């Protein structure tokens, strides 16, 4: 992926990882469009940066994604990079019968959202020079957090989907997976200052250094997530699952 001169769409760009990467890509010489549900959050993230633009998007709505893609391409026909970053994370008690509203919303946002948006833009991207799709997964795609089973499952599914996209779009669109570790963001209550999670700016700086490698790695893995990525191969999967479960339980999750 080239480092400057792109027109980059980032979903979930109004906060957290999406906002941090939007700022860095903007400052590196790219035009950036950030998309999300809340216009006020988008405006705050774009403030002071002339080449960050905003568009509202609800990835849970199939019709809304189609409408968004039309608005996006009308306003920014040069878009050549899609970053599927929007996501939600909900704690669930999967060991007992429960209201599945949180699980269903997680699947709609984290799995169907990227699939729908990629579908809406893939023909356009296939015709663009230096096109790329970046899917943001998670270290939990490889070591699930039992307290967030649907979130972990959606990230594992997007990992698999990304591998398939990379094959079918080979030679047309570069397909990259970004798998964060636990990062200090507002993804879950109290996470912004949670001990043991990577500070957001440190994470974003490490990610940008990895994107600057030539060629760009097909998987962007900061140092803190590598042990999770290779846990099954290394025989440490059960140990990490137990550790994550115990830590979440200690927090009351």
């Amino acid at each position: 992926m080239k480092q400057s001169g792109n027109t980059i769409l980032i979903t979930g760009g109004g906060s957290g990882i999406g906002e941090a990467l939007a700022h860095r890509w903007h400052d590196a010489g790219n035009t950036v469009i950030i998309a999300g549900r809340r216009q006020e959050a988008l405006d705050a993230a774009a403030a002071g940066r002339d080449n960050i633009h905003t568009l509202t998007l609800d990835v849970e709505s199939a019709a809304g994604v189609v409408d968004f893609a039309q608005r996006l391409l009308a306003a920014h026909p040069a878009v050549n990079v899609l970053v599927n970053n929007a996501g939600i994370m909900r704690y669930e008690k999967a060991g007992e019968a429960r209201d599945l509203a949180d699980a269903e919303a997680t699947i709609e946002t984290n799995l169907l959202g990227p699939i729908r948006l990629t579908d809406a833009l893939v023909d356009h991207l296939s015709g663009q020079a230096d096109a790329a799709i970046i899917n943001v997964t998670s270290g939990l795609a490889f070591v699930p957090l039992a307290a967030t089973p649907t979130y972990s499952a959606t990230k594992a599914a997007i990992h698999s989907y990304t591998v398939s996209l990379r094959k079918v779009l080979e030679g047309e669109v570069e397909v990259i997976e970004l798998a964060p570790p636990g990062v200090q963001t507002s993804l879950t209550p109290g996470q912004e200052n949670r001990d043991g999670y990577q500070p957001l700016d440190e994470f974003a700086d490490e990610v940008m250094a990895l994107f600057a490698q030539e060629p760009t790695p097909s998987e962007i893995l900061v140092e803190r997530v590598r042990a999770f990525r290779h846990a099954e191969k290394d025989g440490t999967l059960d140990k990490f699952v137990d550790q994550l479960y115990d830590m979440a339980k200690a927090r009351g999750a």
Side-chain angles (χ1 to χ4, degrees), residues 22 39 73 208 214 228 250:
Q39 185 63 54
L73 296 180
M208 293 305 291
E214 293 186 7
F228 278 18

Side-chain angles (χ1 to χ4, degrees), residues 38-176:
R38 298 182 297 118
Q39 185 63 54
E40 62 273 20
L42 298 173
D43 289 341
R49 288 176 161 86
D50 291 342
N51 278 330
I52 294 185
H53 309 276
T54 69
L55 283 174
T56 55
L57 166 65
D58 180 2
V59 294
E60 287 191 50
S61 166
V65 168
V66 172
D67 172 71
F68 169 82
Q70 293 172 346
R71 289 186 286 120
L72 169 73
L73 296 180
H76 303 284
V79 65
N80 68 307
V81 178
L82 164 62
V83 184
N84 283 308
N85 169 72
I88 60 173
M89 185 176 188
R90 306 275 172 80
Y91 291 105
E92 305 170 68
K93 295 185 182 299
E96 59 191 51
R98 66 200 192 280
D99 183 339
L100 291 177
D102 283 342
E104 291 166 357
T106 301
I107 292 168
E108 284 278 353
T109 299
N110 296 3
L111 180 56
L112 289 177
I115 291 172
R116 286 167 175 159
L117 189 54
T118 299
D119 181 72
L121 296 176
V122 67
D123 289 344
H124 169 81
L125 292 171
S126 295
Q128 294 292 99
D130 302 306
I133 296 171
I134 301 166
N135 288 333
V136 179
T137 60
S138 170
L140 301 183
F142 311 104
V143 178
L145 173 58
T148 61
T150 307
Y151 176 88
S152 301
T154 59
K155 293 302 184 177
I158 288 296
H159 163 73
S160 178
Y161 199 78
T162 302
V163 173
S164 295
L165 277 180
R166 188 176 296 125
K167 175 52 63 176
V168 299
L169 291 173
E170 190 172 11
E172 296 180 43
V173 179
E174 190 173 4
V175 179
I176 300 165

